[in-house]
Amino acid sequence: MNFDVVIIGGGLAGLTCGIALQEQGKRCVIINNGQAALDFASGSMDLLGRLPDGSAVSSLRPAFESLRRQAPQHPYSVLGIEAVESKATQFENILHQLNLELAGSARENHKRVTAIGGLRPAWLSPNTVPTVTNHQNFIHQRIAVLGIEGYHDFQPQLLIDNLQLNPQFAHCQFSSGFLNIPELDQLRRDAREFRSVNIAQLLEHKLSFDELAAEIKQAAGDAEAVFLPACFGLDDQSLFNGLKQATGLALYELPTLPPSLLGIRQHKQLSYRFEKLGGMMLNGDRALRAEFEGDKVACVYTRLHQEEPIAAENFVLAAGGFFSNGLSAEFERIREPVFDADIIETEQFRAQDRFSWTHKRFSSPQPYQAAGVIINAHCQVQKSGRFLPNLYAAGSVIGGYNAIELGCGAGVAVVTALIAAERIGGM
């Protein structure tokens, strides 16, 4: 099999890169091992939430020099502020074309409400998720928080108690309640099956829409806004938008425990766009090894194609980190298993020193989370001390930063994906 570009990984980075390349007329294949981290994400995307010293970031550009000084190996520091801002804006335009209904701007972070009543910085959030700016109060005053009877992943009173501690919600009057939704009775018999995705799947086929809208309206009482768990609408938010229109209320949905309905919707829409543009998905397959011709990658072999090479002019490594086996930890070292690319080392982390991988405090940022491959400003990957001309990396397989600590995982994914696509398309 021969393609223009082989992309290893079908998550946010791989799909973003694939869409951009297909739009340039490239013929791409994505080797997709299984569920992507996107399926477990909140639906909101972060660009940069804080600096390594713990300082909060409200806008990327004013914080960039501090980031570069504190984390010189961070992908943003390698790529430069102009490239990062340009690609973040390009990704916003891609989302607009896909009608993914995300709100936000790279110019300034907002804060999204979490399912337990916290506020987390975000770059982009679904427009159905309640958000506030850094210094403004929430736009509604009377809020009803409604759970679903028997659904334990969303606790209204816990959310209310925590949310009232935030000054942006101090003016709000809260009430709580639960929806019965008789169509869900069969799921209530087995708590293990009573999850957001299962609820959405069942309501997709057995929903009594008018009765549900009436129940929400009655349970809301005199509230003007209603917070609900994200359980309504598996493929997109059209069902939720319909409920909003039918009730005449300002409805909001909050992601609960993974898998996340909001992340799954985004994954489906991005996958659909890639395939509609002519891209090929090899789902349930995994890249095992690569062959080289000089300093170039010639082909890869996969679990389902161990004898048949998959060849291309260019390759993009977007396989993710440890979660999706893009990186593997052996007893004596951490490695990238397909190309055996060089692993970055930081002041706290050394790939071949097992004792440097973890911090003795469990709650502290763990050094191994900064593991990953080394890239240059074109997102080309380093192997044996040299940057390979036709191998690029995107997303969390890249090292030099802790995405959880800094709140920048989605931003790194899409920025590096679009830089790689631009470099490949311009060759």
Side-chain angles (χ1 to χ4, degrees):
M1 291 188 287
N2 290 279
F3 298 88
D4 294 323
V5 185
V6 170
I7 300 170
I8 300 171
L12 179 60
L15 286 167
T16 299
C17 188
I19 289 170
L21 287 166
Q22 288 291 144
E23 288 179 339
Q24 296 175 36
K26 300 293 185 182
R27 184 167 175 262
C28 302
V29 61
I30 289 179
I31 301 170
N32 184 30
N33 186 25
Q35 279 191 295
L38 192 59
D39 293 336
F40 299 86
S42 67
S44 293
M45 299 184 184
D46 43 23
L47 189 61
L48 183 66
R50 64 186 62 83
L51 295 172
D53 65 6
S55 304
V57 172
S58 59
S59 182
L60 176 63
R61 181 172 279 271
F64 188 80
E65 282 305 311
S66 295
L67 174 68
R68 188 180 59 80
R69 185 172 59 255
Q70 295 177 32
Q73 293 172 300
H74 192 291
Y76 290 170
S77 301
V78 175
L79 301 173
I81 183 62
E82 301 300 333
V84 174
E85 284 189 332
S86 171
K87 296 312 172 192
T89 302
Q90 181 182 343
F91 183 70
E92 291 172 12
N93 294 333
I94 291 174
L95 294 180
H96 181 72
Q97 295 169 11
L98 295 178
N99 296 318
L100 275 179
E101 301 184 270
L102 289 168
S105 168
R107 292 188 297 272
E108 184 177 11
N109 287 334
H110 58 261
K111 292 184 177 179
R112 65 175 179 89
V113 177
T114 71
I116 60 172
L119 295 180
R120 290 183 62 88
W123 161 35
L124 301 167
S125 291
N127 59 14
T128 54
V129 170
T131 62
V132 293
T133 59
N134 286 326
H135 305 294
Q136 291 183 340
N137 290 337
F138 188 61
I139 58 174
H140 299 289
Q141 183 173 351
R142 299 188 308 278
I143 304 170
V145 182
L146 304 179
I148 298 173
E149 286 186 11
Y151 180 57
H152 302 303
D153 292 351
F154 184 81
Q155 299 293 327
Q157 195 57 52
L158 174 64
L159 186 150
I160 291 171
D161 291 344
N162 289 329
L163 203 54
Q164 287 177 318
L165 300 176
N166 296 291
Q168 293 95 332
F169 287 86
H171 69 292
C172 296
Q173 302 169 14
F174 290 94
S175 61
S176 64
F178 290 89
L179 304 173
N180 178 263
I181 313 179
E183 290 86 355
L184 302 179
D185 285 345
Q186 67 184 75
L187 286 180
R188 290 189 179 94
R189 299 188 189 103
D190 187 352
R192 294 173 300 178
E193 298 298 322
F194 208 22
R195 297 288 181 263
S196 59
V197 174
N198 304 75
I199 293 171
Q201 287 173 334
L202 190 61
L203 293 181
E204 198 87 9
H205 303 291
K206 297 187 177 182
L207 175 66
S208 181
F209 181 86
D210 293 337
E211 285 80 354
L212 176 58
E215 186 176 358
I216 292 173
K217 195 167 184 178
Q218 181 179 6
D222 65 349
E224 55 189 353
V226 177
F227 290 1
L228 296 164
C231 298
F232 307 95
L234 187 60
D235 294 326
D236 54 43
Q237 63 184 56
S238 57
L239 171 61
F240 194 82
N241 291 341
L243 288 170
K244 184 175 181 179
Q245 183 175 2
T247 60
L249 297 167
L251 300 187
Y252 296 91
E253 56 184 344
L254 295 169
T256 57
L257 290 177
S260 163
L261 205 65
L262 300 179
I264 290 172
R265 287 178 194 166
Q266 293 169 2
H267 194 190
K268 286 188 174 186
Q269 292 298 315
L270 290 168
S271 299
Y272 174 75
R273 177 62 175 172
F274 173 71
E275 292 184 292
K276 188 176 181 181
L277 288 169
M280 178 183 289
M281 296 285 293
L282 295 182
N283 290 315
D285 204 355
R286 179 165 60 93
L288 299 178
R289 60 186 179 89
E291 286 187 355
F292 297 83
E293 292 180 358
D295 61 351
K296 287 188 174 184
V297 181
C299 62
V300 296
Y301 294 86
T302 71
R303 183 175 62 84
L304 299 180
H305 300 86
Q306 297 192 36
E307 304 298 331
E308 182 182 6
I310 302 176
E313 290 296 318
N314 290 282
F315 295 79
V316 178
L317 179 62
F322 297 101
F323 175 82
S324 51
N325 297 317
L327 299 171
S328 65
E330 300 174 353
F331 186 81
E332 72 283 357
R333 64 170 180 156
I334 289 174
R335 63 185 293 265
E336 183 280 306
V338 180
F339 303 97
D340 198 22
D342 294 345
I343 300 296
I344 204 165
E345 296 196 341
T346 67
E347 186 176 339
Q348 294 81 26
F349 166 79
R350 295 174 299 283
Q352 298 188 32
D353 179 6
R354 188 179 186 85
F355 295 102
S356 73
W357 297 355
T358 57
H359 191 282
K360 61 182 179 180
R361 279 193 68 184
F362 177 79
S363 59
S364 297
Q366 298 298 320
Y368 76 86
Q369 292 172 320
V373 302
I374 302 170
I375 61 166
N376 61 15
H378 302 303
C379 291
Q380 291 167 315
V381 175
Q382 179 178 301
K383 178 179 170 64
S384 301
R386 298 179 60 187
F387 290 104
L388 304 184
N390 72 334
L391 177 60
Y392 300 82
S396 56
V397 75
I398 298 171
Y401 72 109
N402 185 328
I404 298 174
E405 177 191 8
L406 304 182
C408 61
V412 170
V414 300
V415 166
T416 52
L418 292 174
I419 287 176
E422 180 179 67
R423 176 73 176 182
I424 291 170
M427 293 177 65

